Amino acid sequence: MTEIKKLREQLQMEVDTSFLYYSIAQLQADENLKAVLNSLSDIEKGHANAILKKINVIDPNFKMIPPSGKAKLQLKLGKVFGYSSILNNLSNIEKNYASKTIQQKNADGVPLDGFEHNHLKIIEAVSDNRKLNIDGGFLSKFESRHKSVGGNALRAAVLGANDGLVSNMSLVMGVAGAAVSNSTILLTGVAGLLAGSISMALGEWLSVQSSRELNQRQIELETEELEASPEEEKHEVILLYQAKGMSKEEAQKLADKLFENKETALNTLISEELGINKEEMGGSAWEAAITSFLLFSVGAIIPLYPFIFLDGFKAIMLSIASGVVGLFIIGASITLFTGRSIWFSGFRQIIFGLAAAAVTYGIGALIGVSVAG
């Protein structure tokens, strides 16, 4: 009973997915996108039929099930919240399904066929196509503002400095609020600077190194999938090109050309389906870690340096003033990505930073009074 229950759940998921692909396809004015979504619906329908056959081995009287109420509700909600929310959900389903399939096949020692692994990239290409008509209701209009803002390196630099400034200013103010000696404030601030910057550097190193290892593993899997099922891989590439706006004939011709030899086919799969730039895979994890360490440290030293040559109230005031200037510069820098007013972003950053510092100063003051009492 456990096995058939699991199969029924899988069948329902495939039926619902096919239904949603088909339903969104009917909203499209562009015939090319409509064909891509209908093809994905047919693929899921084929999976559903395959699962039904497995169920019929156990229960010969079991019939194909209709789309669930949940799937139909999703479609109705799409009219209000935007059909892109459905595509996001389908993307998550494809991602989870591909991950589980690969893990299971690796565990069983079964060669990968690649049929499921690339659907996510097709859905992403469909979502990014300007001809896609999935707006639905008014709430979906806001989703277009969440596209990539670019400038990842500069954004990481700005945010790294911001983390160092806000966290260490809060820490220094908290200790200063407890009315401890200047040497204690300096020691605490330096400890916070080192702890935060080392943590940031380690996190960045792990992030870059893990990303490189993951990309390499994905390339290895893609190579195995290409060798195991080249025609299915070509079919996925054709759908991907159609999703990007090519006609079926153009996509077919380009895919045929690219798949004439294994090297160009693999390079196509790596760039188009995995979205990996092989030229950027050599990025140094150590370089990223050192950069992160330095950026955090630059931000963290701004509220700390006044306590090196001043003490008491003067040091606190200069620390706050330096922090305010730093926060405004960071807030103004963020407008490079948001497009908001420099004054708005700058003063907003100041308010948030000073609020955090005020809270920790107040807590420090309370603790200092408590300890003194």
Side-chain angles (χ1 to χ4, degrees):
M1 290 302 292
T2 303
E3 178 65 20
I4 196 169
K5 181 181 178 182
K6 182 179 179 181
L7 288 172
R8 286 178 178 177
E9 290 175 352
Q10 291 176 350
L11 177 62
Q12 188 68 70
M13 183 185 72
E14 299 291 357
V15 169
D16 288 352
T17 304
S18 176
F19 165 75
L20 291 171
Y21 278 136
Y22 175 81
S23 299
I24 293 179
Q26 306 319 300
L27 301 171
Q28 306 310 310
D30 184 80
E31 291 299 322
N32 203 43
L33 280 173
K34 188 172 184 177
V36 171
L37 290 165
N38 278 328
S39 294
L40 290 172
S41 176
D42 290 341
I43 290 172
E44 301 301 337
K45 191 179 295 182
H47 297 160
N49 287 328
I51 294 173
L52 179 61
K53 289 180 180 179
K54 292 181 180 180
I55 294 176
N56 286 153
V57 172
I58 304 172
D59 182 0
N61 297 320
F62 192 86
K63 304 296 182 182
M64 180 60 74
I65 56 178
S68 68
K70 178 182 177 182
K72 293 177 180 177
L73 178 61
Q74 274 186 283
L75 197 60
K76 290 180 179 178
L77 291 175
K79 294 179 181 179
V80 177
F81 294 97
Y83 294 104
S84 55
S85 61
I86 298 176
L87 278 186
N88 290 336
N89 181 57
L90 290 171
S91 295
N92 290 330
I93 290 174
E94 297 290 3
K95 187 184 298 182
N96 292 333
Y97 188 88
S99 178
K100 290 178 181 178
T101 300
I102 291 172
Q103 289 177 5
Q104 187 61 49
K105 288 188 175 182
N106 285 337
D108 296 341
V110 178
L112 298 172
D113 56 26
F115 196 69
E116 294 291 339
H117 184 69
N118 302 315
H119 286 190
L120 178 61
K121 286 297 175 184
I122 296 175
I123 292 300
E124 289 176 344
V126 168
S127 298
D128 290 338
N129 194 311
R130 292 184 179 182
K131 294 181 180 179
L132 184 64
N133 175 30
I134 54 170
D135 281 347
F138 67 94
L139 289 179
S140 67
K141 306 298 181 183
F142 293 98
E143 294 183 5
S144 62
R145 298 189 60 83
H146 297 287
K147 299 295 184 182
S148 174
V149 296
N152 288 331
L154 181 58
R155 180 173 55 183
V158 172
L159 297 180
N162 178 70
D163 288 345
L165 173 54
V166 174
S167 63
N168 220 36
M169 185 167 75
S170 299
L171 178 63
V172 168
M173 289 299 109
V175 179
V180 297
S181 65
N182 226 49
S183 59
T184 302
I185 295 175
L186 269 175
L187 179 62
T188 304
V190 170
L193 183 153
L194 290 174
S197 55
I198 290 172
S199 175
M200 289 285 289
L202 178 59
E204 193 67 23
W205 187 92
L206 288 172
S207 175
V208 173
Q209 188 67 18
S210 298
S211 179
R212 290 177 61 194
E213 292 171 356
L214 174 61
N215 287 342
Q216 188 59 49
R217 177 56 179 158
Q218 286 182 310
I219 291 174
E220 292 172 0
L221 291 174
E222 201 65 49
T223 304
E224 295 173 7
E225 292 169 359
L226 178 61
E227 293 175 351
S229 52
E231 289 303 316
E232 291 175 352
E233 288 294 321
K234 183 192 286 189
H235 178 63
E236 298 287 356
V237 170
I238 292 171
L239 287 179
L240 181 59
Y241 285 146
Q242 285 183 263
K244 289 185 175 182
M246 287 187 184
S247 67
K248 185 175 182 180
E249 293 74 19
E250 290 173 333
Q252 182 72 55
K253 288 180 181 179
L254 182 55
D256 288 340
K257 181 68 175 177
L258 293 170
F259 275 69
E260 285 180 355
N261 65 72
K262 181 179 176 180
E263 183 177 355
T264 57
L266 181 59
N267 287 336
T268 300
L269 294 172
I270 290 171
S271 62
E272 296 292 348
E273 295 186 346
L274 298 180
I276 296 174
N277 186 342
K278 292 178 70 175
E279 301 299 323
E280 295 179 355
M281 283 189 62
S284 171
W286 285 109
E287 181 180 349
I290 292 171
T291 302
S292 182
F293 181 95
L294 292 175
L295 291 171
F296 187 96
S297 298
V298 167
I301 204 168
I302 290 174
L304 181 61
Y305 81 89
F307 294 92
I308 297 175
F309 54 87
L310 294 174
D311 56 22
F313 182 76
K314 291 182 180 180
I316 293 174
M317 287 297 100
L318 182 57
S319 176
I320 293 174
S322 300
V324 166
V325 173
L327 288 167
F328 184 84
I329 292 173
I330 289 172
S333 300
I334 291 174
T335 62
L336 292 172
F337 318 117
T338 64
R340 298 298 297 268
S341 163
I342 289 177
W343 297 104
F344 173 83
S345 295
F347 282 112
R348 179 180 62 182
Q349 200 71 14
I350 289 173
I351 291 171
F352 289 158
L354 290 181
V359 169
T360 55
Y361 184 90
I363 295 174
L366 289 174
I367 293 175
V369 171
S370 176
V371 171

